[in-house]
Amino acid sequence: MPLKPTAMRGFLIDLDGTLYHGSKRIEGADRLLAALRANRLPFRFVTNNSSVSPEEVAARLNGMGIEAQPDEVCTSSLAAAQYIAQRKPGASVYVVGEAGLKQAVAEAGLRLTEEEQPDFVVQGIDRELSYSRVAAAVRFIRAGAVSVMTNPDLLLPGESGLQPGAGSIGAMIEAASGQVPVVIGKPSSILMDYALQQLGMEPGGIWVIGDNMATDIAAGIAAGCGTALVLTGLTTRDNYEHYAKLAGCKPDLICGSLDELQSYILSRIGL
């Protein structure tokens, strides 16, 4: 149910747990996106996942029957690369991460380096992580490189259950380097600000849609957006109070399903 009525002019939409679980589309995801398009309501898909490119995310969504274009996707890798490029165009960067992060760094006009002292160390999920790579990152940071972490997720879902996420790798690097990284992804507002820039809109009237209180909802509040919690993933009616207490925040709107959210959005058009 809504906690406060606010105009809905655009949306920043989480992916895993909100539109799909693994490779399975969540009921109503295709209808929600079709309704937004039909009513010319702008949106962006926003994900903490640093390992994939916008093209890969769009292909995955289309494969599930959810229409998506690469330029509608905002990843923590893209936001991290922009963050660095805005502070030092053409900066040298040492990457601890996978193909999606390396691609974003290169496309932002930054210079990937392996041996020389870099201006920045940027770290995301790296499922082929080696001790020597962590050691190099720590050495570079201790020598003056700025530490940037794509996202703070400690765990991520895998085929055999939960696995260490980018935040777990970052915790090791932070402990050894003694430097707190700049965090880009949710719940930081940096990723949300990047997505708002891509929309070309101010936060007033923009709503963040997600299933996670500590990331999606907290990030939306930090960015000054409206927030809609959908009970389609991590948060359920039974554990809502628990996660609200842990996150230290509450959403503006709670919907039990994506179809319920769609109905509410359509009822607010023109207000």
Side-chain angles (χ1 to χ4, degrees), residues 133-175:
R133 197 146 196 86
V134 171
V138 169
R139 182 174 69 253
F140 291 144
I141 294 169
R142 291 181 67 88
V146 177
S147 179
V148 176
M149 184 166 65
T150 59
N151 61 293
D153 301 56
L154 295 174
L155 295 169
L156 54 83
E159 293 297 327
S160 58
L162 292 175
Q163 300 174 350
S168 293
I169 298 171
M172 178 168 54
I173 294 174
E174 179 181 343

Side-chain angles (χ1 to χ4, degrees), residues 4 14 102 111 141 161 182 220 225 234:
K4 66 178 183 182
D14 176 54
K102 293 176 182 178
R111 183 164 54 87
I141 294 169
V182 177
C225 299
L234 179 67

Side-chain angles (χ1 to χ4, degrees), residues 212-219 221 240 243-251:
N212 190 319
M213 294 286 295
T215 56
D216 307 318
I217 303 307
I221 292 171
Y240 168 77
Y243 281 119
K245 183 176 181 180
L246 287 179
C249 61
K250 291 188 175 182

Side-chain angles (χ1 to χ4, degrees), residues 178-195:
Q179 295 297 314
V180 178
V182 177
V183 178
I184 303 298
K186 299 176 280 187
S188 168
S189 64
I190 295 176
L191 174 56
M192 312 311 281
D193 290 341
Y194 171 81

Side-chain angles (χ1 to χ4, degrees), residues 94 114-118 121 135-145:
Y94 181 76
E114 289 292 319
E115 301 296 335
E116 67 181 70
Q117 173 66 28
V121 170
V138 169
R139 182 174 69 253
F140 291 144
I141 294 169
R142 291 181 67 88

